Amino acid sequence: MDFKLHHTDTKTNARAGEITTDHGTILTPIFMPVGTVASVKAVHIQELKNDINAQIILGNTYHLYLRPGLDILEKAGGLHKFNGWDRPILTDSGGFQVFSLSAIRKLKEEGAEFRSHIDGSKHFFTPENVVDIQRIIGADITMAFDECPPGDSDYNYAKKSLELTQRWLDRGLKRFNETEGKYGYRQTFFPIVQGCVYPDLRRRAAEYIAEKGCDGNAIGGLAVGEPTDKMYEMIEVVNEILPTDKPRYLMGVGTPANILEAIERGVDMFDCVMPTRNGRNGMLFTKNGIMNMRNKKWADDFSPIEIDGASEVDRLYSKAYLRHLFVSNELLALQIASIHNLAFYVWLTQEARHHILAGDFAEWKRVMVQRVSTRL
RNA sequence: GGGCGGUUACCAGAGUGGCCAAAUGGGGCAGACUGUAAAUCUGCUGGUUUUUACCUUCGGAGGUUCGAAUCCUUCACCGCCCA
């Protein structure tokens, strides 16, 4: 994987760049749709390519390991072959599931013991076997196995957790360097900065990771319950230290405003379930603000979903029609909302890129943060 | 003409003397959702009130009772059966 920095904004830390993988290039800043179980929910590949302009999607190690399972993925020849997506894929390591499935897992020095949320069976993830699994899945970008502590963790827990994540990083990186991809194309490995909301821990984490010299670096453990201002502060602290010539990936974030603030602070890559999950729950993000499509006020609004929206569905369907679909529990509602939201998110990051290159990012961003946060 | 059953909030439907402004489901109105255990979850849904509380309500009218959606009388309407 290569990264070329095209331009750094003069007034802010925003950057425009280009990631090259064996499955194609990615223009940054970029939003990456989440496809946890080998599928971006309610959206198929033609739509991802043509309507959404997705350049890279995510998969999840924990979920794919449980279903369809490694034997199937290996027989398929990797995830790209299995789901038909021939552009880049990034897999999360399962570190987030250590956090979100905390009720059914046990943390140990060696790794994390899980119970499957599907059938209750016991499984053990280590920094090493998570690398092995991601080799079998065959993602272009693989992630280190980390612990993602809750946003309200106290300092002592955060410190202990970070030190575990760092030991796990060394073990994972060692395994990654000792092994090779199974399908003939290159894979890369991103470490993850942790440290909760404590600047000194974040700094220490970023320094530790910067020394590893990986192709890209991730910031994790944010947007997990801490105040938004803390999140922005942590991004600033970390990005002062992370190498500028490597892409920076802010994991799991966030709202359109969150993404714009993070781009301003030098982040290049984003993923979040919000456009798809909230979309399925009736929330639409647009460049003029947020709409709850179940609200009655749309019932007789026959104007297009978004007249100048990023996707064709915005003009094909009216607000009244989409509301009707949601209220009637029609599956088409989930499809339209997911396509719309993902297209908007990808558009937002690519539009940010254009403004970085044009030199007016700061002004554009200030206006956009207001607009996208409005409740319509 | 006779017999039986029924009429409860927006809809369906429980409740058969006080714990009933009335279960439950649907519908309606709003909110939440950030590396997806999520086409999910939460709240409200007679009126006034922050709560307590009070007022109005269970087809209509009248009655019994300390007290009625619940018991009695009667009227209206609906359904089924017999003529």
Side-chain angles (χ1 to χ4, degrees):
Chain A
M1 194 206 89
D2 301 308
F3 181 61
K4 213 158 63 185
L5 198 54
H6 289 154
H7 188 68
T8 301
D9 191 39
T10 48
K11 294 177 208 149
T12 71
N13 291 316
R15 304 126 55 85
E18 182 177 343
I19 296 167
T20 305
T21 76
D22 287 351
H23 283 100
T25 61
I26 302 154
L27 298 174
T28 65
I30 189 63
F31 178 80
M32 310 179 285
V34 178
T36 306
V37 269
S39 141
V40 177
K41 294 185 196 299
V43 179
H44 78 83
I45 280 173
Q46 295 230 317
E47 295 162 335
L48 278 170
K49 289 185 174 176
N50 302 334
D51 299 312
I52 294 164
N53 191 29
Q55 300 178 41
I56 170 172
I57 63 172
L58 262 67
N60 183 276
T61 300
Y62 166 81
H63 289 278
L64 292 170
Y65 158 85
L66 289 179
R67 239 175 5 199
L70 300 180
D71 51 338
I72 296 295
L73 285 166
E74 190 156 19
K75 269 188 207 166
L79 183 55
H80 290 87
K81 291 262 174 60
F82 185 57
N83 72 1
W85 178 254
D86 56 8
R87 294 181 184 177
I89 293 176
L90 180 152
T91 41
D92 184 32
S93 61
F96 185 73
Q97 280 64 41
V98 174
F99 160 70
S100 65
L101 302 176
S102 58
I104 52 174
R105 58 94 172 129
K106 257 187 239 162
L107 264 190
K108 300 174 179 176
E109 177 63 33
E110 178 63 15
E113 185 179 273
F114 279 100
R115 285 198 175 273
S116 159
H117 67 279
I118 299 163
D119 62 6
S121 54
K122 231 187 253 183
H123 303 271
F124 196 65
F125 271 14
T126 68
E128 291 87 1
N129 73 13
V130 161
V131 168
D132 298 340
I133 295 167
Q134 292 181 97
R135 289 290 194 198
I136 291 167
I137 294 169
D140 300 270
I141 300 172
T142 68
M143 300 302 301
F145 190 53
D146 63 339
E147 189 201 352
C148 177
D152 59 357
S153 303
D154 65 39
Y155 185 86
N156 283 335
Y157 185 86
K159 183 163 177 285
K160 248 185 67 188
S161 166
L162 172 61
E163 286 161 359
L164 179 67
T165 288
Q166 290 179 330
R167 291 191 295 275
W168 283 3
L169 169 61
D170 290 342
R171 287 167 49 191
L173 192 52
K174 180 165 183 286
R175 176 63 65 99
F176 183 80
N177 288 329
E178 289 169 355
T179 54
E180 283 185 359
K182 291 180 170 305
Y183 310 114
Y185 51 83
R186 289 177 298 167
Q187 292 182 284
T188 192
F189 179 91
F190 282 19
I192 303 170
V193 173
Q194 288 291 349
C196 294
V197 294
Y198 306 105
D200 66 305
L201 295 182
R202 286 281 173 182
R203 250 178 234 117
R204 195 193 303 178
E207 282 160 4
Y208 192 82
I209 278 165
E211 283 173 19
K212 305 292 175 190
C214 292
D215 287 341
N217 299 293
I219 307 168
L222 291 176
V224 286
E226 81 287 357
T228 309
D229 289 344
K230 281 281 173 200
M231 171 167 79
Y232 296 150
E233 185 193 333
M234 292 307 109
I235 296 168
E236 287 169 20
V237 163
V238 164
N239 278 352
E240 264 176 43
I241 296 164
L242 291 181
T244 54
D245 61 344
K246 302 289 169 61
R248 298 157 175 165
Y249 163 31
L250 178 58
M251 306 185 75
V253 176
T255 65
N258 289 159
I259 287 174
L260 292 172
E261 296 292 350
I263 289 173
E264 182 172 53
R265 290 163 173 79
V267 175
D268 307 297
M269 303 164 71
F270 301 89
D271 79 281
C272 191
V273 303
M274 227 178 219
T276 41
R277 179 190 288 168
N278 291 28
R280 290 195 305 279
N281 293 333
M283 182 186 273
L284 253 59
F285 298 94
T286 75
K287 60 172 76 75
N288 292 310
I290 296 160
M291 295 189 281
N292 181 346
M293 293 316 297
R294 303 192 96 101
N295 287 178
K296 192 174 194 174
K297 60 183 153 197
W298 311 120
D300 61 352
D301 186 334
F302 303 105
S303 65
I305 292 169
E306 193 180 10
I307 184 71
D308 56 348
S311 156
E312 205 48 40
V313 298
D314 294 324
R315 285 165 294 278
L316 275 172
Y317 304 108
S318 69
K319 299 179 182 81
Y321 180 62
L322 183 56
R323 173 187 142 89
H324 157 73
L325 294 178
F326 267 111
V327 166
S328 310
N329 283 321
E330 281 295 321
L331 295 178
L332 184 57
L334 314 184
Q335 298 179 292
I336 293 171
S338 298
I339 292 168
H340 163 87
N341 277 349
L342 287 175
F344 170 69
Y345 265 65
V346 171
W347 171 86
L348 187 69
T349 52
Q350 296 294 284
E351 189 70 5
R353 176 185 165 83
H354 294 145
H355 287 281
I356 293 164
L357 293 172
D360 64 349
F361 172 78
E363 297 78 8
W364 173 81
K365 176 244 157 190
R366 195 172 310 118
V367 173
M368 275 319 270
V369 165
Q370 287 300 315
R371 285 177 69 187
V372 300
S373 306
T374 308
R375 303 293 299 218
L376 297 176

